[in-house]
Amino acid sequence: MNSTELARLRAELRLARQHAHAADAERAETEARLLEARAQVLRAEARAARTHAETAGLRLAIDEARRLCEMTIDSSMRVDAVDQARDTLTVIDAAIAGDKPSPGDGAWHTVWLEGKWRWITSRMTTPEREHAADAVARHNAVLAAADNDPDRGEPEGLRWWRDAA
């Protein structure tokens, strides 16, 4: 073997080693990305488990509050206590049903009070009307609770399209 062939073989060996090192680096980076992805999945599973545990704990607390309210309603002689227990059950049921007030509810209530409700809602589809009316009713319920008037109910004429049918 002459010196030219030996130099060429050494160059090819260096090139092969560089290629092997580059392949090892790529493999290590791919494995690191895989481990990061697995860690993200495990973090997401942990968040879901924590949320489930919190939900279960809240459900137990709600069930206990409901049980105590029902016990008060069944056995208390104090009218105020019974009324308060019924109000508490109403709030619990509304929260579970998803009837929580939102900032948009106040806006729709203002439209109800200050706008031409019938004219505005006549330009909506029935589902849009129902959505707007539900928002007004939720906000009205919040105001009724603040006024200590839980029996107030929905404003008259709120769902005019039902009355017209």
Side-chain angles (χ1 to χ4, degrees), residues 18-34:
Q18 282 178 334
H19 180 70
H21 289 305
D24 286 345
E26 279 187 43
R27 188 173 29 256
E29 288 176 16
T30 301
E31 188 173 335
R33 283 193 296 272
L34 176 64

Side-chain angles (χ1 to χ4, degrees), residues 40-143:
Q40 287 177 343
V41 167
L42 290 173
R43 279 192 288 276
E45 288 175 357
R47 278 192 302 272
R50 267 192 303 278
T51 300
H52 182 70
E54 290 169 1
T55 302
L58 287 174
R59 188 70 208 175
L60 287 172
I62 288 170
D63 289 345
E64 182 63 13
R66 182 182 300 280
R67 184 187 72 76
L68 292 171
C69 287
E70 290 169 352
M71 188 173 72
T72 301
I73 291 168
D74 291 343
S75 62
S76 181
M77 296 301 206
R78 293 179 42 225
V79 174
D80 289 343
V82 171
D83 287 344
Q84 186 176 15
R86 284 192 178 119
D87 291 346
T88 302
L89 287 176
T90 301
V91 169
I92 289 170
D93 291 339
I96 289 172
D99 290 339
K100 299 172 194 160
S102 73
D105 295 351
W108 276 115
H109 196 265
T110 301
V111 171
W112 159 256
L113 288 175
E114 305 297 333
K116 296 179 180 175
W117 180 254
R118 189 177 185 119
W119 181 83
I120 292 169
T121 54
S122 69
R123 279 139 180 77
M124 297 178 181
T125 64
T126 301
E128 291 169 340
R129 289 176 188 158
E130 291 291 341
H131 173 80
D134 289 345
V136 172
R138 278 192 302 270
H139 192 73
N140 193 62
V142 168
L143 295 177

